[in-house]
Amino acid sequence: MKYVIATAFAILMSTSFAHAETLEEKFGKHVENKPRDEFLTVTFENDSIGFGSDSHYTNGIRVSWYDTGDKPPAPARLLDSLMPMFSMNNTTSVYYSLGQNLYTPKNMTVSTPDPKDRPYAAFLYGSMGLLSITENHSDNVEFTAGVIGPYALGKETQQFVHTLLNAQDPKGWDHQLRNEVGLMVSWERMWPEAYTTEIGNLHFRAAPYGGVTLGNIYTYASTGLLFQIVP
């Protein structure tokens, strides 16, 4: 998600700003000058890109629709009240996502998978997220609900893709994880202009970030440093 959010910043913040103002003030003025912007992003991951071996996390697709410059819906304001580390203001935008992840064992040629290997599983989900800039940092809060098991359509998806690619048919989807509801909440904070400089006609920024995800599908903490070059 951090890469998609960074792309949103690159699209919405391609204009050079003076450093005297906070990021919230600069971005707020940009929103006022451009009241509303809507755009779609698609993220696709597949282990055929690279070594081409179906194993463990084998496929993922996520489609997100961003609506910036418009007032978030009432449910978003309710969620805002439940998250003490998140603050809504005139920079706040909302996005909605649909996605599916597929997981398979290393050996997909046997009908009964090795119980010590990763099980067959799929996660089909929808998400609603809020992105807000406060002073000189951005906060991204995302709420996700979905399902694992046969209802997630992992078997049908992988068989369809393998038919298109003329690849080996996976044998063990009848042993996938049972149906179960999945719920998660994620929070991530980024400092988009922690370090900035001009390289010719390009604007370079280094943006550290950190976050946490809690739920019955994923539970983890993350941190890192994102580099961007934008016009």
Side-chain angles (χ1 to χ4, degrees), residues 44 46-49 54 59 158-168:
F44 176 71
N46 189 280
D47 48 18
S48 65
I49 305 171
D54 287 293
N59 187 77
Q158 190 168 53
Q159 287 181 340
F160 174 73
V161 172
H162 278 216
T163 299
L164 291 179
L165 299 177
N166 195 27
Q168 184 178 17

Side-chain angles (χ1 to χ4, degrees), residues 23-103:
L23 191 59
E24 179 182 350
E25 292 170 332
K26 293 182 287 187
F27 192 74
K29 291 180 179 179
H30 184 71
V31 171
E32 291 174 0
N33 294 331
K34 190 175 183 181
R36 187 169 184 176
D37 193 10
E38 299 170 278
F39 58 93
L40 190 73
T41 65
V42 178
T43 304
F44 176 71
E45 300 167 320
N46 189 280
D47 48 18
S48 65
I49 305 171
F51 296 104
S53 173
D54 287 293
S55 179
H56 301 162
Y57 177 47
T58 182
N59 187 77
I61 186 167
R62 178 184 175 107
V63 179
S64 299
W65 178 68
Y66 288 80
D67 187 0
T68 68
D70 194 25
K71 292 182 179 180
R77 297 183 179 277
L78 174 62
L79 296 176
D80 165 48
S81 66
L82 301 176
M83 304 294 292
M85 72 287 291
F86 185 84
S87 177
M88 290 181 64
N89 52 44
N90 67 333
T91 71
T92 304
S93 60
V94 62
Y95 64 89
Y96 307 91
S97 301
L98 290 174
Q100 183 193 53
N101 293 348
L102 302 185
Y103 304 89

Side-chain angles (χ1 to χ4, degrees), residues 179-205:
N179 288 315
E180 183 179 350
V181 173
L183 299 172
M184 293 185 296
V185 58
S186 301
W187 167 76
E188 183 176 88
R189 175 163 291 182
M190 178 184 287
W191 291 263
E193 294 193 339
Y195 175 79
T196 64
T197 189
E198 303 298 325
I199 304 176
N201 295 324
L202 300 176
H203 183 72
F204 171 82
R205 68 166 61 100

Side-chain angles (χ1 to χ4, degrees), residues 100 122-125 146-157 176-181:
Q100 183 193 53
F123 180 43
L124 182 66
Y125 64 90
V147 63
I148 61 172
Y151 288 166
L153 303 177
K155 175 181 179 180
E156 292 79 1
T157 299
Q176 67 179 297
L177 297 182
R178 60 181 176 83
N179 288 315
E180 183 179 350
V181 173

